[in-house]
């Protein structure tokens, strides 16, 4: 991961160069461009700050980063190299790299630069340096998040603790409002939770996730989109700890938030599928009361993609297979087998005759036939599976060899006595594979 991030350092030089101009080059400069050139630096700085926020809100991340780079350059012009506002500009750029592009190495470099500036900063002689302290809180929090992204967990925790302690002191002194403090707590608690979770310490992470969600719901409302990532991460931790009721409830809360914003079919499908999977995990852990939840949300996830084409159809068939596995493990093998048989033609159309999906379906159908005592049908379907796997992976692949072993065991069954043994032949794809259709099942 570190090498990947370091490869972006050279790109950072291009972004710094881009800061020289406020607008993209044009063959014929417009009046607006000419006006911008003659703006005082502080007006340019304000404009860049507004544009950075605007680009960020529209998820135009590269453009936002370019504006934040310009803010650093313009702040240095306006305030000099030793002013706390330059540290603030570096912190904002560091946050931009973390939030917008995920480039934690660059983020840490800019945060460290901000820390260096603040150490010797020239500060105004008024307001008891409140703004400087607020900047310091953001600095420590950003350093913590950057260290977390780089998996430096001890360093991350130390910086997050500094941010939390300083923000509490500012609240007690009346330098920040209760609302500002709650916003800081919300972000700090979430980061602490992620530090513990990054170390696989789910038990320690849980209370921090719970506090982060509580602060967020108080500050933003329990139906805010900003709650989504916290709800999903919290649900994952609860599931890992065996708290299945809480996990499912938080995923349902997230699902309702998503549905209220009129999501795409793909988004709605994925959200419903998360609930279904959580219910299946609970059932596997000995909680059969979640059977109806799994059934409902599997059906809902498939309904969103029922009429989809292309990649949507492929996703539908994949979820349908997952649903069939759920049916099998909960004792409804007959329904699962019926769905698998009906899906075979669609899989051939979407994935092709010679595909892992078709091979796997033949394997599952073979198992269903065997469970019903239909040894001949089981052998026929397993043979088709083996033919496809041999063409796809070769005879020495572990998947092919496992199927061959199942074929050998099946052939030795008393019910298969007297039937001639015919080893599978890997026929050319243009002839033999074309026979693998639903009609042959």
């Amino acid at each position: 991961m570190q090498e990947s991030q370091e490869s972006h350092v050279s790109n950072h030089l291009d972004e710094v160069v881009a800061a020289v101009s406020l607008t993209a080059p044009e063959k014929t400069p417009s009046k607006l461009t000419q006006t911008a050139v003659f703006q005082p630096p502080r007006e340019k700085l304000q404009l860049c700050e507004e544009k950075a926020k605007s680009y960020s809100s529209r998820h135009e991340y590269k453009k936002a980063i370019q504006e934040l780079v310009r803010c650093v350059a313009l702040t240095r012009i306006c305030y000099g190299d030793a002013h706390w506002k330059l540290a603030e500009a570096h912190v904002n750029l560091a946050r931009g790299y973390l939030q917008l592009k995920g480039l934690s190495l660059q983020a840490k470099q800019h945060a460290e630069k901000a820390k260096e500036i603040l150490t010797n900063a020239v500060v105004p002689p008024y307001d008891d340096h409140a703004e400087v302290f607020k900047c310091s809180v953001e600095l420590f929090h950003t350093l913590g998040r950057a260290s977390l992204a780089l998996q430096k967990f001890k360093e991350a925790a130390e910086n997050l603790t500094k941010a939390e302690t300083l923000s509490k002191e500012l609240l007690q002194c009346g330098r920040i409002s209760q609302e500002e403090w709650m916003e800081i707590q919300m972000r700090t608690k979430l980061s602490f939770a992620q530090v513990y979770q990054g170390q696989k310490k789910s038990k320690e992470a849980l209370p921090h996730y719970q506090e982060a969600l509580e602060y967020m719901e108080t500050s933003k409302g329990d139906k805010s989109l900003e709650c989504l990532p916290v709800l999903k991460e919290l649900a994952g931790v609860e599931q890992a700890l065996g708290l299945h009721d809480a996990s499912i409830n938080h995923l349902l809360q997230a699902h309702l938030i998503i549905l209220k914003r009129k999501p795409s079919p793909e988004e709605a499908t994925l959200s419903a599928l998360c609930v279904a999977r959580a219910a299946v995990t609970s059932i596997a852990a000995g909680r059969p009361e979640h059977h109806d939840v799994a059934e409902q949300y599997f059906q809902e996830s498939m309904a969103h993609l029922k009429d989809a084409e292309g990649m949507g159809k492929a996703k539908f068939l994949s979820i349908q297979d997952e649903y069939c596995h759920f049916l099998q493990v909960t004792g409804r093998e007959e329904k699962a087998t019926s769905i698998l048989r009906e899906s075979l033609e669609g899989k051939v159309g979407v994935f092709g005759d010679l595909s892992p999906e078709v091979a796997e379906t033949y394997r599952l159908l073979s198992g269903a036939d065997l469970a019903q005592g239909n040894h001949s049908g089981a052998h026929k379907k397993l043979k088709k599976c083996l033919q496809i796997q041999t063409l796809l992976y070769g005879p020495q692949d572990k998947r092919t060899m496992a199927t061959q072993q199942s074929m050998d065991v099946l052939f030795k069954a008393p019910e298969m006595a007297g039937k001639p043994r015919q080893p599978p032949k890997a026929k050319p794809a243009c002839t033999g594979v074309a026979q693998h259709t639903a009609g042959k099942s």
Side-chain angles (χ1 to χ4, degrees):
M1 182 181 75
Q2 180 120 349
E3 289 182 4
S4 175
Q5 290 171 329
E6 287 175 350
S7 68
H8 290 286
V9 172
S10 61
N11 293 339
H12 174 62
L13 296 176
D14 295 334
E15 292 166 350
V16 172
V17 172
V20 174
S21 172
L22 277 175
T23 56
E26 298 178 3
K27 292 182 179 179
T28 306
S30 64
K31 289 184 178 179
L32 182 61
T33 304
Q34 291 173 341
T35 302
V37 169
F38 295 104
Q39 278 183 313
R42 294 205 181 195
E43 290 184 16
K44 288 183 181 180
L45 176 58
Q46 184 179 357
L47 176 62
C48 286
E49 289 172 343
E50 291 172 357
K51 289 171 71 175
K53 290 178 183 177
S54 176
Y55 285 134
S56 176
S57 67
R58 299 201 304 267
H59 306 292
E60 297 181 42
Y61 301 140
K62 186 171 179 59
K63 290 181 179 180
I65 288 291
Q66 289 174 343
E67 294 303 327
L68 289 170
V69 170
R70 290 168 182 152
C71 287
V72 171
L74 288 166
T75 303
R76 182 177 287 110
I77 293 171
C78 294
Y79 297 98
D81 292 331
H83 199 282
W84 69 270
K85 278 192 170 291
L86 182 58
E88 183 181 53
H90 278 285
V91 170
N92 290 337
L93 180 54
R95 291 174 62 189
Y97 276 122
L98 279 176
Q99 295 175 346
L100 308 180
K101 296 176 76 172
L103 300 177
S104 49
L105 185 62
Q106 283 90 332
K108 194 167 190 299
Q109 289 171 342
H110 282 285
E112 292 286 3
K113 180 63 177 176
K115 185 177 181 181
E116 178 187 330
I117 295 168
L118 274 182
T119 303
N120 302 300
V122 176
V123 297
Y126 49 83
D127 201 25
D128 295 331
H129 313 328
E131 294 300 319
V132 180
F133 288 126
K134 289 181 185 180
C135 178
S136 298
V137 171
E138 290 300 324
L139 166 62
F140 288 130
H141 181 254
T142 304
L143 269 173
R145 289 184 57 223
S147 299
L148 168 61
L150 293 168
Q151 298 186 336
K152 297 181 178 181
F153 300 116
K154 183 179 178 181
E155 186 177 339
E158 289 172 354
N159 281 295
L160 291 172
T161 300
K162 291 177 182 178
E164 190 173 44
T165 302
L166 183 54
S167 65
K168 187 176 181 180
E169 291 174 358
L170 289 173
L171 176 67
Q172 291 172 343
C173 296
R175 296 293 181 263
I176 58 174
S177 66
Q178 182 74 18
E179 291 74 19
E180 289 176 311
W181 178 78
M182 286 181 61
E183 175 76 21
I184 295 168
Q185 281 290 99
M186 176 184 72
R187 292 185 286 118
T188 305
K189 290 296 181 183
L190 178 58
S191 297
F192 265 124
Q194 291 166 341
V195 167
Y196 284 118
Q197 189 61 10
Q199 300 173 84
K200 310 297 183 186
K201 297 179 179 179
S202 297
K203 189 174 180 180
E204 290 84 352
L206 179 62
H208 291 287
Y209 274 121
Q210 291 170 331
E211 287 184 73
L213 181 61
E214 184 179 341
Y215 284 122
M216 185 166 287
E217 288 179 339
T218 302
S219 175
K220 309 291 184 181
D222 60 2
K223 295 180 176 60
S224 169
L225 282 175
E226 293 182 49
C227 292
L228 283 178
V230 184
L231 285 167
K232 291 178 180 179
E233 290 183 38
L234 173 57
V237 169
E238 290 167 333
Q239 188 178 98
L241 293 172
L243 305 172
H244 297 290
D245 287 333
S247 177
I248 291 170
N249 286 336
H250 283 129
L251 287 173
L252 285 170
Q253 183 181 342
H255 185 56
L256 290 175
I257 293 172
I258 289 172
L259 292 182
K260 285 184 179 295
R261 57 183 284 264
K262 298 181 181 179
S264 68
E266 291 76 15
E267 289 174 318
T269 294
L270 181 59
S271 180
L273 186 58
C274 285
V275 179
R277 286 171 174 168
V280 169
T281 301
S282 177
I283 294 168
R287 300 289 302 276
E289 64 269 25
H290 291 134
H291 180 281
D292 290 345
V293 175
E295 176 74 28
Q296 177 184 341
Y297 286 94
F298 266 127
Q299 294 290 352
E300 183 178 326
S301 66
M302 290 186 289
H304 290 296
L305 294 178
K306 191 171 183 180
D307 299 321
E309 299 294 337
M311 292 299 293
K313 183 68 172 179
K315 183 64 178 177
F316 170 81
L317 291 168
S318 174
I319 296 172
Q320 193 177 64
D321 279 353
E322 202 171 333
Y323 175 58
C324 286
H325 179 70
F326 161 69
L327 293 174
Q328 288 171 331
V329 299
T330 53
R332 291 181 287 171
E333 291 87 352
E334 189 174 338
K335 183 177 181 180
T337 301
S338 175
I339 294 173
L340 284 170
R341 284 200 178 99
E342 292 175 3
S343 74
L344 192 54
E345 183 177 357
K347 288 172 182 171
V348 170
V350 172
F351 303 112
D353 294 308
L354 186 62
S355 64
E357 292 80 7
V358 172
E360 178 64 10
T361 302
Y362 275 126
R363 188 187 69 78
L364 293 172
L365 287 172
S366 172
D369 281 348
L370 188 61
Q372 295 172 2
N374 182 3
H375 287 71
S376 177
H379 182 271
K380 180 181 177 182
K381 292 177 179 64
L382 201 57
K383 182 179 177 181
K384 289 182 178 181
C385 173
L386 183 59
Q387 288 175 334
I388 297 173
Q389 287 180 331
T390 302
L391 287 164
L392 282 175
Y393 313 123
Q396 300 304 314
D397 184 86
K398 63 180 181 180
R399 290 160 289 189
T400 309
M401 293 175 70
T403 304
Q404 180 65 67
Q405 186 177 11
S406 299
M407 282 274 291
D408 293 341
V409 172
L410 181 59
F411 193 79
K412 291 175 183 177
E415 292 81 359
M416 297 296 293
K419 298 203 175 196
R421 178 165 184 161
Q422 297 179 351
K425 296 179 181 180
K427 301 177 183 180
C430 60
T431 57
V433 179
Q435 298 174 4
H436 305 156
T437 61
K440 293 286 183 179
S441 63

